[in-house]
Amino acid sequence: METTEKSNRLAKIISTVVVLAIIAGLEYLFFAKVLFSDALIGETNDSRLNNLLVEHWFHAFTGKESFSVVNIFYPMPDTVAFTDMLVGFAIPYSILRAFGMNMFLANKIVLIAFHIFGSYTFYYLLKRKFKIDSFWSLVGVVIFSYSSAYYVRIGHTQLMAISLIPILIIFIYSFFEKFESNKKRILYAVLSITTYALIMYTSWYTAFFTALFFVTLILTYLIVSYSNKNRVLKVVFEYIKTCWKEVVAYCIYAICIVIPFFKLYIPVSKMFGKRTYGEIVSQLPELIDFFNVSTGNRMLGWLMEKMNLNGRYETKGMFVWELYVGFSIIVMGLLVFLFFYIRRKYLKQKYSLIEKTGVYDNQDMTLRVSLIYAVFVSFLLLVQSNGASLWLFVYKLFPGASAIRAVVRYNFFLTIPVAIVIAVNGYKICSGFEWKKGFAVAIPLVLSALIWYSNSNTVGIQSDWNISEEERQISTVSAPPDDCEAMYIIDTKPDSHTYYGEKYSWISYQHFAWEICEKYDIKNLNGYSGQFPIGWVLNNADDVKNIHKYATDWIEGTNVSLKVYYYDMGTDTWHEYVPVK
């Protein structure tokens, strides 16, 4: 007996080590395109924006810039609230920068570290909290961390804040797990609130989708529990009644740490107004988009291309490049199977027990059913047909929903609950069979391999820029005059130079101006962000005929009193600004 126990412990240790090593290998494969080279994650628009945003935080932490004012659209206030704040990334990034690391390399390392952290914390969540074995935990990690959506959406690096969700769930789970211990319960409550606040300060999309799904899950759980004749609300009210001071303290703490967030975002939201529902509809998925894994997908890319899903941009005005966040056909097939299998098993148990005892109190099954129901309810909220969608109710009723334009990214978030559903229920179903040891290991391993293949991309993660070109570009700029305090950029010879082999786009001009201002510590009249100030039209640096008139309108309209120069990229020269009447 003792020998058997030792053998089982050894087998568990070996399986844990093997799976941890496999995850390390998968991380290598996922980031192979950017590891051990100067290649950077993403592209030169949003990815470069986010790199500049974390650089702002480094300057803010070192006292060179105001925390609330990013060096764009000078002299606009509270520009940090024009897009995601990225505080979660900025903290480790600033530590690396403080040790002298290059800004682009520091950002790359932080993003990779976030992804690795998300993979291993999700493994820990599945294995230690949901009590499933290492190999089925690996299935969950593959579905989440190496999803087709993660391959495609990684260019929007702010969305990598999703890798903080597993640790948030661990803290929430631990709150209930250690509920009887006052100190541990309070500790995990504080950690849960703090982690969610950090997600808010990092990526609003991720924070919004997290809140939306938890609300959906809680409502689903309450409905399922009510149908089970379970008085869950009574237990909740008893807790609040008994520990009301504790609950009030949590609320006060939560309010205090998010006050700066809303103090910045609410005025900006009022300034720009909410997104119109028409804008949102163009980025709601149709039914086919739940399988839309992009034309670069290794397994089904050929089919996506043959179906010409991108043609909907011309025919329906849809933002097709945002819709590549579908699930692999294997994952979706497993999810649909589990929905019917678990539902059938649950209803059979439920009616039998209610008939005998008057109540169904199997909390494990109730939670599993509620989770899978919540996933499909989320799908129903998302899907559209000819512009008609239940998302309209979310848009009208859920706080903050009107700020969410790329709603289809919710599918990316849903890889987490989908992964939990498949990993936990797959383990429990297979545990009910008397498999030989080899089969018990082989099934989840083979499934992991198939899911990984069905998610993987022929071109790897997006990497359209590199450190060498970024440093070369900024090195070509001559120093501004000593009395220069602010600047804007123009280009009198746009055909004389290229950026990654192509002409500069209007966004590239804005980022370049920003980098120049960061290097020489001057104010930036240019800018790029999620929102653009009313009256600001300095976006076309190569519109030499009108750019100075636009600059005059902006400078005089906002009462800029600093000494302004403009930098001509075409000639690498600085010129004193003269108002144009």
Side-chain angles (χ1 to χ4, degrees):
M1 184 72 176
E2 188 177 340
T3 305
T4 304
E5 288 181 2
K6 285 184 178 180
S7 177
N8 288 337
R9 280 201 300 270
L10 181 61
K12 287 181 180 180
I13 292 171
I14 292 172
S15 65
T16 298
V17 171
V18 167
V19 170
L20 292 178
I22 290 172
I23 293 173
L26 291 174
E27 289 293 325
Y28 173 80
L29 291 174
F30 189 76
F31 288 108
K33 200 171 180 180
V34 298
L35 289 175
F36 313 118
S37 73
D38 72 346
L40 296 170
I41 297 169
E43 33 76 273
T44 57
N45 292 345
D46 285 4
S47 307
R48 192 177 174 197
L49 163 67
N50 291 335
N51 203 152
L52 287 163
L53 284 170
V54 289
E55 180 68 7
H56 153 74
W57 283 106
F58 172 59
H59 288 179
F61 292 143
T62 53
K64 294 180 180 179
E65 292 181 10
S66 167
F67 283 96
S68 64
V69 181
V70 176
N71 194 12
I72 52 176
F73 309 128
Y74 181 81
M76 289 296 295
D78 300 335
T79 44
V80 73
F82 280 25
T83 187
D84 296 300
M85 290 189 187
L86 306 186
V87 174
F89 300 137
I91 295 169
Y93 171 87
S94 297
I95 294 171
L96 295 177
R97 290 286 286 130
F99 282 98
M101 187 174 288
N102 172 283
M103 66 177 283
F104 302 108
L105 178 59
N107 189 54
K108 180 168 79 167
I109 288 174
V110 168
L111 295 176
I112 293 173
F114 256 71
H115 190 272
I116 293 171
F117 178 76
S119 298
Y120 281 111
T121 51
F122 195 57
Y123 169 79
Y124 178 89
L125 170 67
L126 292 169
K127 182 172 171 58
R128 299 299 296 272
K129 299 302 179 182
F130 289 113
K131 304 291 190 293
I132 68 176
D133 70 22
S134 292
F135 295 106
W136 278 101
S137 298
L138 175 64
V139 173
V141 172
V142 171
I143 293 171
F144 163 53
S145 286
Y146 315 109
S147 66
S148 173
Y150 220 138
Y151 270 101
V152 175
R153 285 272 66 84
I154 202 167
H156 291 93
T157 54
Q158 73 274 20
L159 297 179
M160 293 182 75
I162 195 174
S163 290
L164 290 172
I165 302 299
I167 194 68
L168 172 65
I169 300 173
I170 289 169
F171 290 148
I172 294 171
Y173 192 102
S174 298
F175 170 82
F176 292 104
E177 187 180 42
K178 307 294 183 181
F179 196 82
E180 297 304 319
S181 170
N182 288 343
K183 289 183 179 179
K184 290 183 178 180
R185 182 181 69 242
I186 293 170
L187 171 64
Y188 286 118
V190 171
L191 287 173
S192 299
I193 294 167
T194 305
T195 303
Y196 182 73
L198 180 63
I199 293 170
M200 284 182 66
Y201 281 102
T202 303
S203 169
W204 171 242
Y205 269 74
T206 305
F208 175 83
F209 292 147
T210 302
L212 177 61
F213 185 78
F214 272 102
V215 168
T216 305
L217 177 59
I218 290 167
L219 291 175
T220 305
Y221 175 74
L222 290 175
I223 292 169
V224 172
S225 295
Y226 180 80
S227 74
N228 293 344
K229 312 297 182 183
N230 249 317
R231 298 184 176 182
V232 177
L233 285 176
K234 184 179 179 181
V235 177
V236 174
F237 289 138
E238 280 297 321
Y239 162 65
I240 295 173
K241 184 180 177 181
T242 306
C243 305
W244 68 270
K245 292 181 180 178
E246 185 181 312
V247 174
V248 169
Y250 295 152
C251 293
I252 292 172
Y253 174 65
I255 291 168
C256 286
I257 62 175
V258 300
I259 282 175
F261 179 89
F262 289 109
K263 191 175 178 182
L264 287 165
Y265 273 101
I266 289 175
V268 170
S269 178
K270 288 180 179 178
M271 184 192 306
F272 295 111
K274 63 183 181 180
R275 305 281 188 183
T276 66
Y277 190 66
E279 287 181 83
I280 293 168
V281 166
S282 65
Q283 299 188 46
L284 281 171
E286 295 181 311
L287 187 60
I288 187 62
D289 292 308
F290 289 94
F291 302 88
N292 187 354
V293 287
S294 86
T295 55
N297 183 263
R298 197 177 298 276
M299 177 179 279
L300 291 179
W302 63 273
L303 182 59
M304 300 296 108
E305 192 167 359
K306 194 170 184 179
M307 293 175 72
N308 191 29
L309 297 179
N310 289 354
R312 291 176 295 173
Y313 176 69
E314 288 80 16
T315 59
K316 298 182 179 181
M318 298 179 73
F319 284 68
V320 292
W321 49 88
E322 282 284 359
L323 301 176
Y324 300 144
V325 284
F327 296 87
S328 92
I329 195 166
I330 296 174
V331 169
M332 193 59 84
L334 288 169
L335 189 64
V336 172
F337 165 76
L338 287 171
F339 175 83
F340 289 107
Y341 179 88
I342 298 301
R343 183 175 181 274
R344 182 173 178 273
K345 186 176 181 180
Y346 155 71
L347 291 176
K348 187 177 179 181
Q349 289 180 1
K350 170 184 168 180
Y351 293 135
S352 175
L353 268 177
I354 288 179
E355 189 176 339
K356 291 177 182 178
T357 64
V359 64
Y360 181 76
D361 57 0
N362 186 334
Q363 285 301 311
D364 175 70
M365 181 59 85
T366 299
L367 283 168
R368 287 160 59 193
V369 168
S370 300
L371 183 61
I372 200 166
Y373 281 3
V375 168
F376 278 93
V377 168
S378 299
F379 287 164
L380 288 173
L381 288 174
L382 268 180
V383 70
Q384 68 139 312
S385 177
N386 296 319
S389 172
L390 293 175
W391 191 265
L392 179 62
F393 295 102
V394 179
Y395 174 79
K396 294 282 189 183
L397 302 174
F398 206 90
S402 61
I404 302 297
R405 181 168 56 97
V407 174
V408 70
R409 294 177 188 175
Y410 192 25
N411 252 1
F412 180 30
F413 173 87
L414 291 175
T415 56
I416 293 177
V418 167
I420 294 172
V421 166
I422 293 174
V424 171
N425 289 291
Y427 169 75
K428 289 184 179 293
I429 291 171
C430 287
S431 297
F433 293 93
E434 292 294 330
W435 302 102
K436 289 183 179 180
K437 193 67 177 177
F439 281 108
V441 172
I443 290 172
L445 277 179
V446 170
L447 193 57
S448 296
L450 289 172
I451 292 171
W452 176 84
Y453 180 78
S454 68
N455 280 330
S456 63
N457 201 291
T458 55
V459 296
I461 63 171
Q462 187 177 22
S463 176
D464 298 335
W465 61 319
N466 59 68
I467 297 174
S468 299
E469 177 64 11
E470 295 304 310
E471 291 183 334
R472 181 206 64 77
Q473 178 187 230
I474 196 67
S475 70
T476 63
V477 181
S478 59
D482 291 339
D483 62 341
C484 177
E485 296 176 299
M487 68 151 281
Y488 62 95
I489 197 169
I490 75 166
D491 189 359
T492 55
K493 298 179 179 180
D495 296 323
S496 67
H497 41 246
T498 60
Y499 183 53
Y500 295 101
E502 297 180 0
K503 287 182 65 174
Y504 274 74
S505 68
W506 73 270
I507 298 174
S508 296
Y509 283 124
Q510 305 308 310
H511 288 332
F512 192 32
W514 191 349
E515 289 178 8
I516 294 169
C517 291
E518 294 293 277
K519 180 178 180 179
Y520 293 110
D521 194 24
I522 54 181
K523 299 301 181 184
N524 179 24
L525 274 62
N526 291 96
Y528 176 75
S529 193
Q531 302 282 6
F532 295 87
I534 297 168
W536 180 90
V537 285
L538 293 173
N539 49 315
N540 293 318
D542 55 352
D543 183 8
V544 180
K545 183 179 179 180
N546 298 304
I547 190 70
H548 299 298
K549 177 64 171 65
Y550 296 150
T552 299
D553 292 343
W554 177 254
I555 290 167
E556 294 183 354
T558 56
N559 299 314
V560 174
S561 59
L562 300 182
K563 186 71 172 180
V564 178
Y565 280 74
Y566 62 88
Y567 173 70
D568 184 355
M569 273 189 67
T571 58
D572 184 34
T573 53
W574 293 83
H575 305 269
E576 186 174 344
Y577 156 74
V578 178
V580 175
K581 301 299 181 182

